[in-house]
Each structure stands twice: as structure tokens, then as C-alpha cells.
Amino acid sequence: LQSPIKPKVLNLFILYVANQTKLEKMNKVIADRMKLFGITCNDENGSKIDDIINSATKIKFPHALHLNLDKCREIGLVLSRCKMLQELCLNGNRGSFREDMLVALFLAEGPYNFPLKSLDLGNNQFGTRELTTILPFLKSWEELDYLSLDGNCIDNEGAQLLAETLDTVKIRRLSLNRNQISKEGLSCILSSQNARYLTSLMISDNEDIG
């Protein structure tokens, strides 16, 4: 690469690719996108487009993005190529996330291999059944510090499952605002083995919690 790639620009590459192209066209589209920002890639010197994706540390998708199953598959494939990703925000999908969409998003080509520290899946209208698709991956991210599941339809059963996940992951900031969790579900979370590591628990606008 003949000029530095700023993180903001890098995010645009990945976002554009994930939502507009098929996997086989991915490299060409990224290269074309780079030209729009005045960044060139010299293939003759062995530079690889993969290096751009591998070095991404933060991906934030626009609010109210309208994702479907095919787009989730494409995003999952892009994420599977990331190596340094620390922050992922997919907040406010227009329309609910079905279970098959979350499977496509998190089961692309095998386990992801990046040190994720922040995951925001708020306001996506999925419930406890869909939550079970995500939980195995949360357990694999030992460095995960922040998790937002605001504005979904998670009930006490989901809170119990999340509590079991907290037994293996030391999440420090957990946001569960605007769900369907009662004091019973909150008690499960606070009784989890690693609840002592929580420095922030946001759980307003839930059933009888307030």
C-alpha cells in the first residue's frame, strides 16, 4: 500500500463489500473503493487486499440497516477474514433478526479468530431463541469487555442462559435495557459466577424492574 489507511476509511471498505457484493468480487470492489479515497494497492509488490480486512479493529454498521439472509452471509464471510477486530456494532437492523440470519452472521467459515472486546447487538428485535445462537461465540471471546443486547425481546429464560455464559466470560459492562426481564431474571444474572466482575449493568425499562 502506498499510503496509510485510516480506520474510518477501512470501515467503509468492509461495510461496502459486506452489503453490496458477492464474495468472489470482494477483492476487486475493495480495490475500486480504495481508488475513490486516493489509496492505491500495488499487486506487483505483493500487497494483498486481505491485509486490509485482517487489520480492521472496528466495524460499525449504519443504524437501521436492512439486512436479509444473503447480506448476513456476506457480512459473516467478511468477519471471518478479520484478525484484529476489537469492536463490532450492528445496532438497529430494520426488521427482526431471525435465527438463520444470526447463524449466517456468526457461523461463516468456522470460529472467528479475533480479540473482540466490544459487541453491540442492540435494537435488533430478536428473542431468547435467537440469543442461544450467539451465546457459544461469546464464550470464545475471553477478552470481551462490553456487551449490549438493548431493545430486544429477551425474557427470564434468556437471562438465565446469559447468566450461564457469564460463568465463563468476564464481561465488565452489560447492557440489557428495554427487554422483558423481571427481577427473577436479574437475580440469575447477579448470581452468576463472574457477576463480581461487572462494573456496569444497565437494565432499565424491563418488566417490573423499572
Side-chain angles (χ1 to χ4, degrees):
L1 296 172
Q2 298 179 346
S3 57
I5 301 176
K6 297 179 180 180
K8 183 177 181 181
V9 176
L10 180 59
N11 293 344
L12 287 173
F13 296 155
I14 297 175
L15 175 60
Y16 183 83
V17 170
N19 289 282
Q20 303 295 331
T21 71
K22 297 297 182 182
L23 181 62
E24 59 269 17
K25 299 180 181 178
M26 187 174 295
N27 286 354
K28 182 181 184 302
V29 171
I30 292 180
D32 291 343
R33 198 65 173 172
M34 289 170 66
K35 292 177 182 178
L36 293 180
F37 288 90
I39 300 172
T40 59
C41 180
N42 190 341
D43 290 329
E44 293 179 359
N45 292 336
S47 297
K48 295 181 179 179
I49 299 296
D50 275 349
D51 292 340
I52 300 172
I53 295 178
N54 289 345
S55 61
T57 58
K58 180 178 181 179
I59 301 177
K60 183 175 182 179
F61 292 89
H63 189 72
L65 194 65
H66 197 168
L67 297 179
N68 55 30
L69 180 57
D70 286 340
K71 288 183 178 180
C72 283
R73 285 172 176 156
E74 291 173 16
I75 292 173
L77 288 169
V78 171
L79 293 177
S80 70
R81 299 172 70 178
C82 293
K83 302 299 180 184
M84 304 295 292
L85 190 62
Q86 296 182 24
E87 297 181 45
L88 174 60
C89 178
L90 219 172
N91 186 308
N93 178 46
R94 291 177 59 191
S96 61
F97 261 120
R98 302 190 310 269
E99 188 175 7
D100 59 345
M101 292 168 66
L102 288 169
V103 168
L105 193 63
F106 285 92
L107 289 176
E109 291 184 328
Y112 291 154
N113 183 29
F114 45 76
L116 196 67
K117 295 182 179 180
S118 174
L119 178 61
D120 185 350
L121 291 173
N123 304 300
N124 286 312
Q125 303 179 48
F126 60 75
T128 295
R129 177 177 176 179
E130 290 77 18
L131 178 64
T132 58
T133 303
I134 303 170
L135 295 180
F137 292 90
L138 298 183
K139 294 178 181 179
S140 67
W141 285 316
E142 297 180 357
E143 299 182 46
L144 190 65
D145 177 83
Y146 173 73
L147 173 64
S148 173
L149 295 169
D150 291 344
N152 288 300
C153 303
I154 300 170
D155 56 17
N156 286 339
E157 181 184 355
Q160 172 66 51
L161 294 170
L162 187 58
E164 294 173 3
T165 300
L166 291 177
D167 285 339
T168 59
V169 181
K170 297 177 182 178
I171 294 174
R172 289 173 172 77
R173 296 176 295 149
L174 178 61
S175 191
L176 296 169
N177 298 318
R178 301 184 306 281
N179 278 287
Q180 300 171 7
I181 300 172
S182 70
K183 291 180 179 178
E184 179 185 349
L186 175 59
S187 178
C188 290
I189 292 173
L190 295 178
S191 299
S192 64
Q193 181 176 330
N194 288 329
R196 64 185 184 277
Y197 293 105
L198 285 173
T199 60
S200 175
L201 176 58
M202 293 160 280
I203 195 165
S204 63
D205 297 325
N206 274 272
E207 294 293 324
D208 57 348
I209 297 176

